[in-house]
Amino acid sequence: LRRILALRDSSGSDAARVALLEHRGLRAMDAVRATVKEMIQTEEALLAPRTQRAHSSLKQATLTNLVATLTGVAVACLAYFLFWRDARARARASAVLHDHRKWLRATLASIGDAVVATDRQARVTFMNKVAHDLTGWGEDAVGREVSEVFRIINETTREPVEAPTARVLAL
């Protein structure tokens, strides 16, 4: 096109017209169009497998996310179920323990002899009414050393005697 314009400016419009009629510009444009068409076809040929791989990757990622989410939900549900089952078992065990404690307390309280129960450190945890009456201690005895609450004195020597709880707890 520049050549034709330059030809027109230098030689006149007839020379430019002759050059246009030779269709050099048309052939050049056709060559450009063919090159562009070939480029488009090449790009489309490259794009098709890439698009298919992208769709495949998307499906795989979606499936992976779905499996991970379902696994996470399943693990959370399992953890909740195990926690719930454990909590229920603890509640049942606590109720049984409470019932046994009530039964033991009632049994110990109904014994006609003095009963003093201690923990492993020889601190009083329970005294029945007979023990309260014999020692003179009330509920304030709970938590005190058994040797402080229940003093044993040898009837002959009148000397204090070690409480049998020390020997029992040593076992």
Side-chain angles (χ1 to χ4, degrees):
L1 185 59
R2 282 189 197 130
R3 189 181 60 78
I4 290 174
L5 290 175
L7 189 60
R8 184 189 73 180
D9 291 341
S10 65
S11 303
S13 63
D14 289 335
R17 195 173 294 130
V18 170
L20 277 174
L21 291 176
E22 290 177 356
H23 300 292
R24 279 189 218 160
L26 180 62
R27 283 192 298 269
M29 283 305 296
D30 286 344
V32 168
R33 285 187 190 102
T35 303
V36 168
K37 184 177 179 183
E38 185 180 320
M39 289 171 59
I40 290 172
Q41 288 172 343
T42 303
E43 286 298 317
E44 285 176 352
L46 292 173
L47 183 62
R50 289 177 184 165
T51 302
Q52 188 161 357
R53 281 195 309 266
H55 286 306
S56 177
S57 292
L58 177 63
K59 284 180 186 177
Q60 187 175 6
T62 302
L63 182 62
T64 301
N65 284 339
L66 179 64
V67 168
T69 300
L70 292 176
T71 301
V73 168
V75 167
C77 288
L78 178 65
Y80 175 78
F81 170 74
L82 293 175
F83 175 77
W84 173 79
R85 187 180 70 177
D86 184 57
R88 250 180 76 207
R90 285 176 186 249
R92 282 194 307 266
S94 178
V96 167
L97 183 61
H98 178 71
D99 290 345
H100 280 108
R101 282 185 179 161
K102 280 175 41 180
W103 175 82
L104 182 61
R105 188 170 286 274
T107 301
L108 293 176
S110 66
I111 294 176
D113 294 327
V115 176
V116 178
T118 68
D119 60 13
R120 290 181 182 247
Q121 287 77 35
R123 289 187 301 261
V124 174
T125 58
F126 173 80
M127 290 176 66
N128 69 356
K129 179 160 178 21
V130 177
H132 283 295
D133 292 343
L134 286 175
T135 62
W137 284 86
E139 289 299 319
D140 56 336
V142 174
R144 295 184 183 270
E145 293 282 333
V146 72
S147 59
E148 179 185 351
V149 175
F150 183 53
R151 293 176 195 238
I152 303 173
I153 299 174
N154 184 310
E155 72 179 290
T156 309
T157 64
R158 306 305 290 166
E159 293 293 319
V161 177
E162 181 183 0
T165 54
R167 283 183 300 197
V168 171
L169 291 173
L171 297 177

